[in-house]
Each structure stands twice: as C-alpha cells, then as structure tokens.
Amino acid sequence: MKVPTLRVQWELQLPAYTTATAVADPSQICDLGWRLWQHQNLNPLSKGFDPPHQSDTRTIYIANRFPLNGLYTPQKFIDNRIISSKYTVWNFVPKNLFEQFRRVANFYFLIIFLVQLMIDTPTSPITSGLPLFFVITVTAIKQGYEDWLRHISDNEVNAAPVYVVRSGGLVKTRSRNIRVGDIVRVAKDEVFPADLVLLSSDRLDGSCHITTASLDGETNLKTHVAVPETAVLQTVANLDTLIAVIECQQPEADLYRFMGRMIITQQMEEIVRPLGPESLLLRGARLKNTKEIFGVAVYTGMETKMALNYKSKSQKRSAVEKSMNTFLIIYLIILISEAIISTILKYTWQAEEKWDEPWYNQKTEHQRNSSKILKFISDFLAFLVLYNFIIPISLYVTVEMQKFLGSFFIGWDLDLYHEESDQKAHVNTSDLNEELGQVEYVFTDKTGTLTENEMQFRECSINGVKYQEMNGRLVSEGPTPDSLEGNSSYFSSISHLATSSSFRTSPENDTELIKEHDLFFKAVSLCHTVQISSVQTDGIGDGPWQSNFASSQLEYYASSPDEKALVEAAARFGIVFIGNSEETMEVKTLGKLERYKLLHILEFDSDRRRMSVIVQAPSGEKLLFAKGAESSILPQCIGGEIEKTRIHVDEFALKGLRTLCMAYRRFTSKEYEEIDRRLFEARTALQQREEKLADVFQFIEKDLILLGATAVEDKLQDKVRETIEALRMAGIKVWVLTGDKHETAVSVSLSCGHFHRTMNILELINQKSDSECAEKLRQLARRITEDHVIQHGLVVDGTSLSLALREHEKLFMEVCRNCSAVLCCRMAPLQKAKVIRLIKISPEKPITLAVGDGANDVSMIQEAHVGIGIMGKEGRQAARNSDYAIARFKFLSKLLFVHGHFYYIRIATLVQYFFYKNVCFITPQFLYQFYCLFSQQTLYDSVYLTLYNICFTSLPILIYSLLEQHIDPHVLQNKPTLYRDISKNRQLSMKTFLYWTILGFSHAFIFFFGSYFLIGKDTSLLGNGQMFGNWTFGTLVFTVMVITVTAKMALETHFWTWINHLVTWGSILFYFIFSLFYGGILWPFLGSQNMYFVFIELLSSGSAWFAIILMVVTCLFLDIVKKVFDRQLHPTNIEKAQMYSNTVALSDEFIALQPLSRARNQLSKLSLLKQIQVSSAWTPCVVSQKEKQRAHLLEECWNE
C-alpha cells in the first residue's frame, strides 16, 4: 500500500554540536539523538550514536554499514545460535548436583552421609551414600540424556546452510554465523533462519506467502509485504546499494506484535516507512509460493520470537506431590522422635554404673573427660543415622520413572486416536498424570472445542430482509419489500435476481435492490484476510449472481474459518474474490472483473472486536468496509436497517448460529487525507503505538451505514452431549467460557447438554454498576435458596463478570457453587484465566481443568491445574501450551475416567506402600535397641541396608504402578459415578495414610517379636546344638520382611500379567540367590564379612523355615481378613464394580488390551508403518491367538 513520502521532522531537539568532539560523550545523547546529527549533515550515515542498551528500541544498520568515523560504537547483539539445552560439558556436574540437592530428601540424605563420615556411627557411610549415589546417578543420566538429545537438535539447526549477502556477493555460511543486520536470501520451501524484515521478493510488489504452522499451527498462507523503496531491489547488486537503518522494539515473545520503522536514504533525502507484523518473517516459518526473498536479520538466536516462546510455563504441582511432602514431614518427625527417645533411654539406662562402663567395655580417659553435651549430640546423630531409612529416598526416583513411563500409555491408546485427522493424544507434562483423576471443575471453550469449527454459511440479513441458503441459492424468507400484495409465501432466489419478475416493479427499484445486495457481498468479499493458493478465473462468476463452480476452482485459506465460509458463500452467489495482485484486490461481479485498490487494513483486535479495510473502487470512490460482532458494529452505525438487523441477529443467535455484522462508509477526498495522515503518524510511532492506533481506528470506524448481518453454523462435535453428561454424573461441574454473544452461547449450551430443559436458568447480564450487580447477585442467591429445583444454571456476560469480580467475589462464588452449570459469554482471554484463578483459590481448593483449542485459550489452560489442548483448526498454540493434547472433546471422558482413575490409584498406592515398607524396615531396628542397651548396634548387615530399597523391593511396586487396572476400563468409562470415589484425594487422606502406617508398625512388631520368641533364649535350632547369633537373628527378621512386603504388594495387585509375576516372585528369588552368594563366599574386596555362612545356616534350620512361614502367614492373614470383611459388609462402589466386572468373566488379556476387534479395524485403516508401531506397542499384552479369539467373543458378549 502507498504511503506518502515524508521528509523526517524530528521532534527531539538537541544542542547544535558543530564538531565531532562535542558529541563524543554518548551519555549526552538521548534515545534518538544520533539521527539529529544525521539530519544536520547531508550524509545521514556518516556519523551517529546508538541508543543506550537499556533503551526500549534497537538500531540496526542494514548490511552492517556503520558510520565511517571512529566515534560510533555498535550495539552488541547475540549470535544466531539456538540453545535449547540446559547444560554444557563444563557445568553439567555442578549444575545438575545443585538442582538435585535442592530436593529436600536428597539434601537430607546428603547430610546423613556427611554425618556418617564425620562421627563414629553404627552403620557404614555406604548404607546412605550408595542409595543416594544411585538416585542421583539415575536422575543425572536421565536428565543428561535428554539434554544430549537437545544438543544434537541444536547442532543440526545451527549448522544448517544459509546464503548471506556480504561484500556485494552471495556467500554460503552456517545459520549460527548470521549477525543482526545481515541480508539473508531464503528460497521457496526453506525455513527462515532468523527473524527477518522483508526487503524484497521475486514479485514486483515485494510480497511473499509464508506458513507459520511450526509456530502456531495455522496452515493458511499469510501474506507479508516489503516497503516500496526496497521491494524493487530484487538482485544482490541492487541490494548492495541500499543505505538504510531500521529502528524497532527490543525482542519480545508475542508472535503477532512488532513495531519499527525503516529510514531509507535516497538522493540525500531520508524516507521513513512504518514496519509492522506484516513486514516481519519469523524464524521457524516457511516460505511458500514465492521463488525467493531477501530480508535483513533484526532478531537472532535466542532473541528470536520462536526462541522467546521456549520459556517454560510455571511449574504445576499435583495434589499427590503435596500429600507426599506432608507425609515426609510426618515421617521426619517420627524419625527425630525415635532418635530422641533412644538417646534419652540410653542415658537413663547408663545412669547405673554397671551399664555405664561394663567390665568388657572400659572407657578411655578421653571418653571420660569429653563433654556430655557433645556426647549427647553425637549419640543423637548416631541414632538418626541408624533410623534414617524410614525416609524413603528411592520414592522420588520411582515416582519420576512411574510418571515418565506411564505417560506413554496415553499416546498408545487407540481410543484416543482420531483417524480422520490422523492425530493421537500427546503428553506434554507427565508430572500431572494422577491429577487427571482429581478434577472437580472443567472449564471449556465453545468454538472449536465443543463445536467442529467448520463453518457453513446458513443465513443472512440484507437491508432488513432475511435470507437463507437452499441448495446453493439464496432465498428470501417472508414477504419482500417489493413483493406483490398477498404473495406472503413468496420465496425469491437472488441467484436469479436479475431476471425475477417479482422484483421488477420498476427499473429504479430493481437497480436499487441489486445495488444493496451487490454492496453487501462486495463487503463480504473484500473485508477479510483470506488467501488463495492458486488462481484460475476462467468461467468463474460469468452468470448473473451465481457461480456454481467457484468453490471447485478456487481454494481459499484463512486464519479464521468464519472468513473462509463467508468468502466461499459470496463466490457461490456471484461475487467472487479472485485474489490480491500487487496493491489491488480483484473480484468478479456478474462475470465482470473489478479491481479495488487496497489502501489500508485496520486489523482485528479483541478490544474493538471488528476489522476494516479501506479500498478505492474502480470509480475512484474511497470506501471503508467493516465487519465484526453486532455489539461493536451497531453502536457505530448511523444508517441502515439497524433495528430489523438487530432482531435478525438475535434470531440467528437463538438458533446457535455465529453472527457478524457488515457496514460501510464513504470518504471524501479531504476526509481520506486526514485519515491517511493520522494512520501514518500512529504506525510510525515508536512509543505507545498500540494506543495511538486504537484512537485512530476509533476515529475512522464511526458514522457507518449498516449493510446487514451474516450467520454461519458451527456444528457440535461428535458425542459432546454424552461427554458433558458423563462429566456431570462424575460429580464434575462444567463451565463454558466463550467470547460469543449471549443468545448464541445459551443456544449451544442447550444443544450440547450443558444446560438442560429442566434446569432453572439464572442470568447475570448487562449489569451497569457495582451496586446493581451486587443487588442482582443477592437476588440470585435468594432464588437458589427459595426455589426447590434440583439444579440451577447461571449465565454471566463479560461486563457483569468484571463488576462481580471487582468487589463481590465471595457473593459471586456463593452463587456459582450452588449452580450445576455456569456459562460465561463475551469473555476476554484474561477474564477466562481470572475466573479459573478465582475458583482455584476458593476455600475448597478444588482441582480445575481447562479445555481449549485456540490462542485465546492459552491463558486459561496455563492457569488451571490441568490444561487440555484440542488439536483443532485454530492453530496449535493451545495444544503446545497445554499439559495434554487430544484431538476431540469426547476423548476427555476416557482421559479422566480411565487414565486419570488408573494413574491416581497407582501412584496413591505407590506412595503409601513406600512408607509402609520403610516402617517395616526400620521399626525392628528401633525395637532391637531395647535389647542391646541402646548401643546403636545395627540389626541388619550394611549390604542389606543398602539394597533393600534399591533391589529387593523396588521392582514389584514400579510394575504395579505402571500396569495395575483394578477395574475393567469399560466399567470405569460406562460408570462415571466411580470417579467420585477417588475425588478430593481420598486415597491419600490422613485416615488411609494412618492405616498404612499402623499396618507397617504392626507387621514390624510381628517380624521382630515373632523372631524373638520363636528363636529366643535357650532354644537350639541348629543340628549341632548351637544357637542363632546376632546376625542370624537380624537376617531372619530381614527375610520375613522381604517376603511379607512383596506378598503384600501381590495382595494389592488385581491385574496380573507375566511381567507382574516375573518381578514379584523374581524379587523374592533374587533375594535368596543374592544372600546365598553374598554369605557363601569369602569376598576378598570386603574388609570384614559378618554374614559369611549366616544365611546358609539359617536356611538349614527347619525351625527357621517354620518361623518364616508362620510370621508371613500371620501378617497377611490379618490383612486378608480385613479385606474380606470390608468387601462383604461395607463394600465401596469400586469394590462393587470389581465384583460386577468379575461376573462378566472378562479375561486378563481382554482387560489389558483395548477391545481387540475395534483395534484391528482401526489398525487395518492405518498405513503399514503405523500398523507396525501400534501393534508392537500392544502385542506384549496378547498371550496367544486362542486368547485373542476369546477376547473377541467376550467383547461381543459385553456389547450385548
């Protein structure tokens, strides 16, 4: 578009320095002072100063042609390397260790390890050091491997070949060598290596087409244009003559925001051109339908917008993790209490002289004279070390492995695979898997989330007459202004308007009616940002008001599905948008080609809620066409059928249609000159550009003449109603947050089952003041209390919500909590996030989940505890910023009811089992001190202390936490009420935690005292009459403990696979084999071997075997009896569902797999590669072909 050439008039006035030395101090020059020196000297680039580094702007010399004098100091810009890695070779060890020891448990064990090194403790430092080393090493390897992959990816990107203009020629170099100011050449289908300002392309108008699919997922072609002065420089030689400077803002992450200006020197005159988002080519975008372009690098490396969007989101913590930290604190208190009790009892016991210094353990002189306080502290630390294993260090690494490995099952689930779009579920954050089972509130967008976001033109209102499309023809509804008297049922197709006798009451009326419709559809065809991939205009729109083949020969691309549907509809009715050519927009009207000069585009923004274009018609007349929401268009209109159109818009909305209003304005030459001047000033402003543009847009978009309104339909997605109903049955409250108008939102809510006909609908809309809003809220609260209706629904609009959240949050929350469903319409993106924030911080602290598909949903997705992105048609920003991404809203039910349920049960059992088995482990050690005068003698060998959590008991619980399915997935999905049983973190309640803890203590007492009484005093248990010694007693306790805690895990397992059998019984077998080898051989590298032949002697005693079996059975028998009685007398809903699941006799293999018949049908439709990938992921669960057939038959029975 043409912008008048202006000589630069600098508002900034500085003292007139006449010599170079006078301005040698940059501190005397403010932000844009260097340009004053240029203005006073004919050569503007001969001297100058850059703004300071802390400035809001940066100055870039194109081709790095700096001033020739020695006074100029270039700004320092970073290179073009992309660094997504976290570590380097040099900082990996210290940085990784620092991050790991910030975790409380790791730091605690480090302190224990250091204490063992510094003082005389009863256990070897290896007992704490080796588990700590194992956990640190495993985590470091995992993080190091992930970072190594990032290094490989970075190196591939940074080493990509690029072509740069240097020294008058085209030089091939690496991407990492691009500097700010370099002119870069990019060819068709190549990716832009940095953020470039477009200088020229192979087209005369300097335009190019790009796709930003890798940035925001939008696959439509976007047009970018160069300024006219550089657009003509299409060769390297011509570009070498360019003398120009770019001033622009400092880097920021917003992909769609860029402000700057280019100062071009031509014939000793400076020309200023504004630069906006349409001039910036983002790194990561791809050049399309253009042979080549030249651009100057303005942001490089980690300052590109793509890199700035790498910023990690705020860390979300699950409720389970918070419970786990609480339990750790409780166990830390237990540990300190045991250490204090042991220390006090030790000194109480030693108060008697015979125990203080027995004849066999005489003290040295140094010990007798040492400080008692220091001795007390030393003993306390020694007991702390002795009992420290009650804190499960391996819990963290096991939880991390469980979350990481468990997240793959979501991606492998065929039920979450959408065949039409070839998209499977993605997990972006595995830390929140269990949170899927705790959701209490679901906040969902409407368009593209509940609906398909596939728009179809249905109806329109033109000059107060309503029309609808039927079989590709536009038909008026009801009597038209010109219809014959009494012909009330007449429907006229305007596709035959030119020949319709009913409209020919007079030639003047006929001409006027055609003009009205012609202008309306021209507004539709010109006011948009639609692109065309290929132009084939022959035969398009040749018939009057119709083009039956327009859509088959033209393919439109648009960032908004609404725009595409409207332009396609206009093409069907004879006003065909052909495309952009240089600075013109071409349309065919009744077969006649017309060219409109595009003067300005007033871009859409969420505050104005409208967009406009200013064009020059073939007649020379300058017109503004505007479209937007009726709330933003109608108040600006002074003419047209405003009231009739308003009624029609409301009728469209009641049908659930999306509406837009169209209007226009004619400018005189004087008015346009004023508008053009003000737009130029606003667009070239470096400070407060957005505010200035908003003021100018408001000035331009007024005194409009209303043309009419359009209505497009957005169909509901498949099974949306069933999904919302299932969520409600699960006890989850569903809120719909949308930007649509009130009537449209309510209609869609009713059709999708969010609201139902029996629900009492309350409204909080059109509130004008705080007092009015407060009074309305009180009325609603009274109505809820007085009305004896089971369910209420609430409708809130954006303005009323702002008032409610300002001073009446508590009252508003009280009303919302008593409503089953809430609909918020006319919502801004930040309002969506604010609503979720309000619910999150309410006294109940509920778990929230947000679902959305567009960029406007990102804020609420990041605010909620769990964010779900729908991979829809509004790009991939929501999916990229979410924790989980799915293709359709209906998949939410399985994600929550099946995967969320399983993940929560698994990790809840994992956490409590870890604490249970560590209580079993350390309590006998504490009890043993009562029998050894609190001498800090350890009960177990140091190797057993070290390997208990690492090897002997780790795998069964890990496999359980990955594969356990305590209920058939079909039952969970078909009975959403089961979801209520795990809500509010019930499985990790204090009651359940205390049960596991008490169970651990009771089992530990049985281990210790059972062993003590069975092989106690004066009992000969060996064939030669010898008695068991200290290490044999400890080994017996340890053996019973390993078998019992492993068998306890087996009791908790409902779903057995060959992997479960292998690790469960294999762990017990491994313990026996290891103990035989460890105690049966004298290992030369061990200084002392207390366990030599101990285990073999233990197993050679029949009494010992009897004791082991008796104690294991006793421990588990009590647990089994409790489970049986609870299940028979007070069964939970989950236990009832388990019994129901057993009655249908489903095989383990059938439960493990998704339904095999459905899986086969899906796999047969996929490509061979996908068949191999999916089948390899699921085949391990299938035992035999016979079992496959059995599962298939069982599925048929289940369906019946």
Side-chain angles (χ1 to χ4, degrees):
M1 63 191 73
K2 294 292 185 183
V3 179
T5 302
L6 297 182
R7 188 164 185 86
V8 179
Q9 300 294 328
W10 303 114
E11 298 177 1
L12 182 65
Q13 298 296 324
L14 297 178
Y17 298 105
T18 55
T19 63
T21 57
V23 292
D25 182 9
S27 65
Q28 299 178 11
I29 309 299
C30 53
D31 190 35
L32 300 178
W34 65 276
R35 292 201 311 272
L36 179 62
W37 186 259
Q38 297 172 1
H39 184 55
Q40 293 173 344
N41 295 271
L42 291 179
N43 184 353
L45 299 182
S46 61
K47 303 179 179 69
F49 289 92
D50 261 338
H53 289 245
Q54 64 269 24
S55 169
D56 292 335
T57 62
R58 59 167 52 187
T59 303
I60 300 160
Y61 291 83
I62 295 181
N64 290 306
R65 295 189 180 92
F66 302 113
L68 299 178
N69 63 12
L71 300 176
Y72 175 75
T73 303
Q75 272 185 283
K76 297 294 184 182
F77 301 115
I78 66 173
D79 59 28
N80 198 41
R81 288 181 300 160
I82 286 291
I83 303 173
S84 63
S85 56
K86 196 175 186 179
Y87 307 106
T88 65
V89 174
W90 309 109
N91 71 8
F92 174 74
V93 173
K95 190 173 182 179
N96 187 264
L97 288 177
F98 173 74
E99 291 175 350
Q100 291 206 56
F101 284 117
R102 290 171 65 185
R103 182 170 280 174
V104 176
N106 290 347
F107 183 73
Y108 163 77
F109 270 86
L110 177 64
I111 296 299
I112 293 295
F113 176 67
L114 294 177
V115 167
Q116 287 179 295
L117 290 176
M118 290 187 294
I119 67 173
D120 183 20
T121 57
T123 58
S124 167
I126 295 176
T127 58
S128 296
L130 191 59
L132 179 65
F133 176 78
F134 173 77
V135 170
I136 296 295
T137 303
V138 168
T139 306
I141 290 173
K142 172 179 170 287
Q143 294 176 351
Y145 174 72
E146 291 174 349
D147 204 63
W148 177 65
L149 294 178
R150 287 192 285 267
H151 272 285
I152 293 176
S153 176
D154 290 346
N155 291 335
E156 289 178 358
V157 172
N158 295 329
V162 294
Y163 288 91
V164 178
V165 177
R166 286 178 183 164
S167 304
L170 207 58
V171 179
K172 184 177 181 180
T173 184
R174 300 291 183 185
S175 175
R176 58 173 170 263
N177 298 326
I178 294 176
R179 299 171 297 171
V180 171
D182 280 346
I183 299 176
V184 182
R185 192 203 77 171
V186 180
K188 181 180 178 181
D189 292 327
E190 289 183 353
V191 175
F192 299 116
D195 287 352
L196 311 174
V197 166
L198 180 61
L199 295 177
S200 65
S201 71
D202 63 324
R203 302 181 181 183
L204 293 177
D205 61 349
S207 66
C208 70
H209 297 294
I210 71 168
T211 175
T212 57
S214 62
L215 298 174
D216 57 14
E218 295 181 4
T219 56
N220 59 296
L221 297 178
K222 299 178 180 177
T223 301
H224 288 247
V225 291
V227 298
E229 285 73 22
T230 64
V232 297
L233 308 176
Q234 296 180 311
T235 64
V236 174
N238 290 337
L239 285 168
D240 197 44
T241 65
L242 176 64
I243 301 176
V245 176
I246 291 177
E247 289 179 348
C248 62
Q249 63 187 140
Q250 294 291 359
E252 65 171 50
D254 191 340
L255 294 175
Y256 309 105
R257 188 171 183 270
F258 176 71
M259 292 190 299
R261 54 184 165 192
M262 185 183 295
I263 305 166
I264 307 154
T265 303
Q266 288 184 349
Q267 300 176 353
M268 312 304 290
E269 183 177 342
E270 296 176 12
I271 301 170
V272 179
R273 293 293 186 189
L275 300 175
E278 72 282 350
S279 304
L280 187 66
L281 307 173
L282 299 179
R283 177 173 190 150
R286 191 177 296 272
L287 185 64
K288 291 286 187 182
N289 291 3
T290 310
K291 184 179 178 182
E292 66 176 12
I293 65 98
F294 289 94
V296 58
V298 290
Y299 305 131
T300 53
M302 298 307 294
E303 290 183 342
T304 60
K305 291 183 179 290
M306 181 183 75
L308 292 175
N309 276 277
Y310 287 161
K311 288 182 179 179
S312 59
K313 306 184 291 291
S314 59
Q315 188 68 30
K316 296 181 179 180
R317 295 175 61 214
S318 69
V320 170
E321 187 177 347
K322 295 173 185 176
S323 298
M324 197 164 66
N325 291 337
T326 303
F327 298 159
L328 278 173
I329 293 172
I330 293 174
Y331 270 65
L332 191 60
I333 294 172
I334 294 174
L335 168 65
I336 295 173
S337 301
E338 288 183 344
I340 292 174
I341 291 170
S342 298
T343 308
I344 293 173
L345 289 177
K346 175 180 180 179
Y347 282 90
T348 303
W349 204 294
Q350 290 180 355
E352 297 184 39
E353 188 175 346
K354 65 174 182 177
W355 298 123
D356 181 40
E357 192 174 349
W359 60 271
Y360 55 84
N361 189 19
Q362 295 291 316
K363 292 182 180 179
T364 64
E365 193 64 29
H366 175 72
Q367 289 175 330
R368 291 192 183 97
N369 297 329
S370 61
S371 170
K372 291 186 178 181
I373 296 176
L374 292 178
K375 180 63 177 170
F376 184 90
I377 295 173
S378 176
D379 284 330
F380 170 76
L381 292 176
F383 280 116
L384 207 64
V385 169
L386 191 64
Y387 305 145
N388 79 87
F389 285 95
I390 198 171
I391 306 295
I393 185 174
S394 56
L395 173 61
Y396 281 107
V397 71
T398 307
V399 167
E400 277 196 17
M401 292 173 66
Q402 188 269 346
K403 289 183 175 183
F404 175 71
L405 297 174
S407 63
F408 287 103
F409 289 103
I410 292 178
W412 290 340
D413 192 342
L414 290 175
D415 285 339
L416 301 182
Y417 171 76
H418 190 244
E419 188 176 351
E420 295 176 14
S421 59
D422 189 27
Q423 291 170 334
K424 64 178 183 178
H426 291 281
V427 179
N428 299 326
T429 306
S430 62
D431 292 338
L432 302 172
N433 292 343
E434 65 278 6
E435 206 80 329
L436 293 171
Q438 295 295 295
V439 175
E440 297 173 61
Y441 281 83
V442 167
F443 299 89
T444 175
D445 180 39
K446 181 182 73 67
T447 305
T449 304
L450 301 179
T451 61
E452 287 284 1
N453 205 13
E454 287 184 358
M455 309 300 177
Q456 293 181 339
F457 178 86
R458 291 301 184 203
E459 301 184 50
C460 64
S461 173
I462 306 175
N463 197 30
V465 180
K466 191 159 60 171
Y467 297 89
Q468 61 182 2
E469 184 179 9
M470 290 186 176
N471 300 321
R473 303 171 66 187
L474 204 59
V475 178
S476 66
E477 184 178 323
T480 63
D482 303 303
S483 61
L484 296 176
E485 188 176 349
N487 192 11
S488 60
S489 62
Y490 183 79
F491 281 74
S492 172
S493 168
I494 73 163
S495 62
H496 295 89
L497 186 65
T499 59
S500 174
S501 60
S502 67
F503 285 91
R504 293 202 169 191
T505 54
S506 68
E508 293 80 6
N509 289 345
D510 180 36
T511 304
E512 186 64 29
L513 191 60
I514 293 177
K515 282 185 177 180
E516 291 171 359
H517 293 81
D518 178 76
L519 196 58
F520 176 83
F521 283 107
K522 279 183 179 176
V524 171
S525 298
L526 293 171
C527 186
H528 57 74
T529 56
V530 173
Q531 300 296 326
I532 301 176
S533 62
S534 61
V535 179
Q536 299 177 3
T537 59
D538 294 341
I540 297 179
D542 291 338
W545 289 93
Q546 59 183 348
S547 176
N548 294 330
F549 11 14
S551 58
S552 62
Q553 297 191 20
L554 286 174
E555 189 172 3
Y556 295 115
Y557 291 90
S559 56
S560 167
D562 299 73
E563 285 193 336
K564 182 181 178 184
L566 292 176
V567 173
E568 288 175 343
R572 291 195 296 273
F573 306 137
I575 309 292
V576 186
F577 172 63
I578 303 300
N580 295 337
S581 175
E582 297 185 2
E583 296 178 351
T584 64
M585 299 181 75
E586 299 179 353
V587 296
K588 251 188 178 181
T589 307
L590 302 176
K592 179 183 177 182
L593 184 65
E594 298 179 356
R595 289 186 172 88
Y596 290 80
K597 188 175 182 180
L598 180 61
L599 301 174
H600 293 286
I601 297 178
L602 279 57
E603 297 84 0
F604 175 87
D605 64 61
S606 56
D607 295 326
R608 286 166 43 244
R609 297 181 63 82
R610 59 180 178 263
M611 75 158 290
S612 304
V613 293
I614 301 176
V615 297
Q616 181 175 324
S619 62
E621 187 178 26
K622 294 179 175 62
L623 298 168
L624 169 96
F625 289 115
K627 74 174 179 186
E630 90 289 345
S631 59
S632 63
I633 294 291
L634 296 184
Q636 308 297 325
C637 292
I638 59 172
E641 297 289 346
I642 298 176
E643 291 306 317
K644 288 184 179 179
T645 304
R646 193 191 305 273
I647 294 172
H648 290 166
V649 167
D650 291 340
E651 291 175 357
F652 296 152
L654 287 174
K655 298 178 183 179
L657 303 178
R658 293 165 59 88
T659 58
L660 288 172
C661 289
M662 313 295 301
Y664 79 103
R665 177 185 176 186
R666 289 186 170 92
F667 295 119
T668 63
S669 298
K670 187 176 180 181
E671 287 174 334
Y672 177 73
E673 288 176 3
E674 171 71 8
I675 287 169
D676 189 53
R677 182 186 63 81
R678 293 184 64 167
L679 275 174
F680 175 77
E681 291 175 355
R683 282 177 167 152
T684 55
L686 278 183
Q687 305 295 331
Q688 298 181 329
R689 177 183 294 186
E690 292 179 345
E691 291 81 356
K692 292 178 180 178
L693 281 175
D695 293 339
V696 176
F697 288 173
Q698 188 67 29
F699 172 75
I700 296 171
E701 295 170 328
K702 65 180 182 179
D703 301 334
L704 304 178
I705 306 298
L706 184 63
L707 289 170
T710 61
V712 296
E713 180 185 20
D714 191 3
K715 290 186 175 180
L716 285 177
Q717 289 187 16
D718 186 32
K719 295 186 178 180
V720 166
R721 174 180 284 273
E722 293 87 339
T723 303
I724 290 178
E725 187 59 34
L727 292 172
R728 187 175 287 118
M729 291 175 63
I732 298 173
K733 290 187 177 182
V734 180
W735 289 33
V736 175
L737 312 180
T738 178
D740 273 349
K741 69 191 305 288
H742 166 243
E743 293 81 1
T744 305
V746 171
S747 176
V748 173
S749 285
L750 286 168
S751 63
C752 72
H754 178 235
F755 287 164
H756 52 76
R757 302 294 174 182
T758 61
M759 188 179 284
N760 184 21
I761 307 298
L762 310 175
E763 291 188 344
L764 181 67
I765 57 176
N766 300 326
Q767 303 301 304
K768 304 298 183 184
S769 65
D770 285 336
S771 58
E772 183 182 348
C773 181
E775 181 59 31
K776 183 66 174 178
L777 283 170
R778 293 188 192 98
Q779 291 178 10
L780 295 178
R782 285 195 298 269
R783 282 189 60 184
I784 293 173
T785 305
E786 295 167 1
D787 290 351
H788 300 289
V789 178
I790 297 175
Q791 291 182 328
H792 297 272
L794 178 66
V795 182
V796 190
D797 63 6
T799 54
S800 303
L801 181 70
S802 298
L803 294 172
L805 297 182
R806 189 181 302 168
E807 295 182 3
H808 314 294
E809 284 188 3
K810 291 184 178 179
L811 190 56
F812 177 69
M813 282 303 303
E814 180 186 346
V815 173
C816 290
R817 278 197 296 267
N818 292 317
C819 293
S820 301
V822 178
L823 169 64
C824 300
C825 53
R826 290 299 192 213
M827 295 281 286
L830 289 179
Q831 280 184 312
K832 294 181 179 182
K834 195 170 183 179
V835 168
I836 296 176
R837 176 80 179 159
L838 184 65
I839 298 296
K840 281 174 62 179
I841 63 176
S842 62
E844 295 84 3
K845 298 287 189 297
I847 304 300
T848 58
L849 180 146
V851 195
D853 73 316
N856 60 329
D857 301 317
V858 170
S859 57
M860 75 168 184
I861 284 173
Q862 293 184 340
E863 181 63 45
H865 291 95
V866 182
I868 306 289
I870 302 291
M871 294 177 280
K873 297 179 176 62
E874 290 191 9
R876 294 292 184 273
Q877 282 184 299
R880 287 192 298 110
N881 288 276
S882 65
D883 303 307
Y884 303 88
I886 54 178
R888 286 294 181 269
F889 182 80
K890 66 179 180 180
F891 295 152
L892 188 62
S893 61
K894 182 162 190 186
L895 192 64
L896 298 184
F897 302 154
V898 179
H899 289 284
H901 197 114
F902 283 156
Y903 285 135
Y904 176 72
I905 292 293
R906 291 165 181 170
I907 200 165
T909 305
L910 183 150
V911 170
Q912 295 178 117
Y913 177 79
F914 253 93
F915 285 109
Y916 154 78
K917 70 186 183 76
N918 278 43
V919 167
C920 291
F921 183 38
I922 289 304
T923 304
Q925 186 89 281
F926 173 69
L927 296 174
Y928 185 61
Q929 297 308 304
F930 287 87
Y931 293 88
C932 66
L933 295 183
F934 296 94
S935 60
Q936 300 159 6
Q937 169 65 38
T938 178
L939 179 63
Y940 314 119
D941 182 72
S942 59
V943 173
Y944 286 163
L945 281 171
T946 305
L947 299 182
Y948 175 75
N949 278 316
I950 296 177
C951 298
F952 299 148
T953 60
S954 58
L955 281 180
I957 183 58
L958 176 61
I959 298 302
Y960 169 93
S961 65
L962 292 174
L963 302 180
E964 172 64 4
Q965 295 182 11
H966 61 298
I967 306 178
D968 173 32
H970 291 84
V971 177
L972 284 176
Q973 195 159 6
N974 293 330
K975 292 183 178 294
T977 52
L978 294 175
Y979 193 82
R980 296 171 182 257
D981 288 2
I982 63 168
S983 61
K984 299 186 182 298
N985 206 12
R986 281 188 173 89
Q987 300 299 316
L988 283 175
S989 64
M990 191 56 64
K991 178 182 176 181
T992 312
F993 168 72
L994 289 176
Y995 165 74
W996 279 89
T997 302
I998 294 171
L999 184 68
F1001 278 115
S1002 62
H1003 285 184
F1005 273 79
I1006 293 174
F1007 301 156
F1008 183 81
F1009 289 109
S1011 301
Y1012 179 78
F1013 289 116
L1014 286 172
I1015 61 170
K1017 301 176 182 179
D1018 303 325
T1019 306
S1020 176
L1021 298 177
L1022 297 177
N1024 58 5
Q1026 290 182 342
M1027 294 175 61
F1028 282 167
N1030 174 60
W1031 294 113
T1032 312
F1033 174 75
T1035 304
L1036 176 62
V1037 174
F1038 192 84
T1039 303
V1040 176
M1041 179 171 54
V1042 169
I1043 297 173
T1044 302
V1045 298
T1046 306
K1048 171 62 178 172
M1049 189 73 264
L1051 277 179
E1052 295 298 317
T1053 304
H1054 295 87
F1055 175 64
W1056 285 90
T1057 65
W1058 64 267
I1059 303 176
N1060 294 80
H1061 284 290
L1062 177 66
V1063 298
T1064 301
W1065 316 123
S1067 293
I1068 297 174
L1069 184 62
F1070 171 76
Y1071 164 70
F1072 277 90
I1073 294 174
F1074 173 84
S1075 297
L1076 287 172
F1077 273 89
Y1078 171 60
I1081 301 174
L1082 283 171
W1083 300 99
F1085 53 84
L1086 294 177
S1088 62
Q1089 197 164 347
N1090 298 321
M1091 295 297 295
Y1092 178 67
F1093 226 66
V1094 168
F1095 196 71
I1096 296 174
E1097 280 195 339
L1098 178 67
L1099 296 187
S1100 65
S1101 170
S1103 301
W1105 280 105
F1106 173 75
I1108 291 171
I1109 296 171
L1110 182 61
M1111 283 185 284
V1112 170
V1113 170
T1114 302
C1115 290
L1116 300 180
F1117 177 75
L1118 297 175
D1119 202 31
I1120 293 171
V1121 169
K1122 180 186 179 300
K1123 285 180 178 291
V1124 170
F1125 273 96
D1126 285 346
R1127 197 174 273 263
Q1128 295 300 319
L1129 300 178
H1130 307 289
T1132 63
N1133 290 329
I1134 290 178
E1135 289 169 345
K1136 291 176 183 177
Q1138 289 171 343
M1139 290 186 280
Y1140 169 76
S1141 178
N1142 292 335
T1143 59
V1144 296
L1146 293 171
S1147 68
D1148 285 347
E1149 290 74 26
F1150 175 62
I1151 297 173
L1153 293 167
Q1154 304 305 312
L1156 283 170
S1157 56
R1158 182 163 75 252
R1160 277 198 209 94
N1161 290 336
Q1162 287 179 331
L1163 289 175
S1164 64
K1165 297 173 186 175
L1166 299 175
S1167 65
L1168 179 60
L1169 176 60
K1170 287 177 183 170
Q1171 288 185 33
I1172 294 171
Q1173 291 174 340
V1174 178
S1175 62
S1176 64
W1178 289 92
T1179 301
C1181 296
V1182 182
V1183 175
S1184 64
Q1185 187 64 30
K1186 181 179 178 181
E1187 291 297 337
K1188 288 183 182 181
Q1189 295 170 356
R1190 182 185 174 202
H1192 181 65
L1193 292 173
L1194 284 167
E1195 185 199 6
E1196 293 178 351
C1197 296
W1198 175 271
N1199 291 334
E1200 291 177 4

